[in-house]
Amino acid sequence: MTPTSQEYYQNISDKDNNSLGLIWDDVNTHDDVVVNNEMYCIVNRPVKMIIGSRDVIHDVGLVYFRQKMDAVPGTPTTLWFTPKFTTEEMKRTEQPRF
């Protein structure tokens, strides 16, 4: 079992760039990645997204993977996917707006 990182709600701070309230002294938080807009993935390598929210329900949608997950305040949810194609490969398919 993989150790999980520690979070504490009083550490949440936009000013200190700690939107999840991570405890930076915990070695398990050093590989946690917070992505706001873009994410780059490696083909054929599984990706695990742990989705959370501080305030209201949010929606994370991966249209080309046909997946959607809601982020619920106080309840981390997990979404797994494995990219099979690069962006360039997808652009060469019959997806006109990719």
Side-chain angles (χ1 to χ4, degrees), residues 25-45:
D25 294 336
D26 177 8
V27 295
N28 294 318
T29 61
H30 296 179
D31 64 350
D32 290 359
V33 178
V34 179
V35 178
N36 293 321
N37 294 318
E38 292 184 13
M39 179 173 61
Y40 299 92
C41 303
I42 299 172
V43 172
N44 294 320
R45 181 177 289 177

Side-chain angles (χ1 to χ4, degrees), residues 4 8 13 24-25 37 47 52-53 57 67-68 70 72 74 85:
T4 58
Y8 188 56
S13 169
W24 299 115
D25 294 336
N37 294 318
V47 177
S53 172
I57 294 176
Q67 292 188 325
K68 177 195 163 291
D70 289 331
V72 180
F85 305 101

Side-chain angles (χ1 to χ4, degrees), residues 19-89:
S19 62
L20 297 179
L22 296 172
I23 299 174
W24 299 115
D25 294 336
D26 177 8
V27 295
N28 294 318
T29 61
H30 296 179
D31 64 350
D32 290 359
V33 178
V34 179
V35 178
N36 293 321
N37 294 318
E38 292 184 13
M39 179 173 61
Y40 299 92
C41 303
I42 299 172
V43 172
N44 294 320
R45 181 177 289 177
V47 177
K48 176 182 180 183
M49 294 176 61
I50 301 172
I51 303 162
S53 172
R54 316 191 271 188
D55 47 9
V56 297
I57 294 176
H58 294 278
D59 164 2
V60 175
L62 303 172
V63 176
Y64 289 96
F65 292 94
R66 295 184 179 180
Q67 292 188 325
K68 177 195 163 291
M69 181 66 68
D70 289 331
V72 180
T75 305
T77 55
T78 304
L79 174 67
W80 282 92
F81 65 94
T82 303
K84 298 293 182 187
F85 305 101
T86 66
T87 302
E88 289 304 315
E89 290 171 334

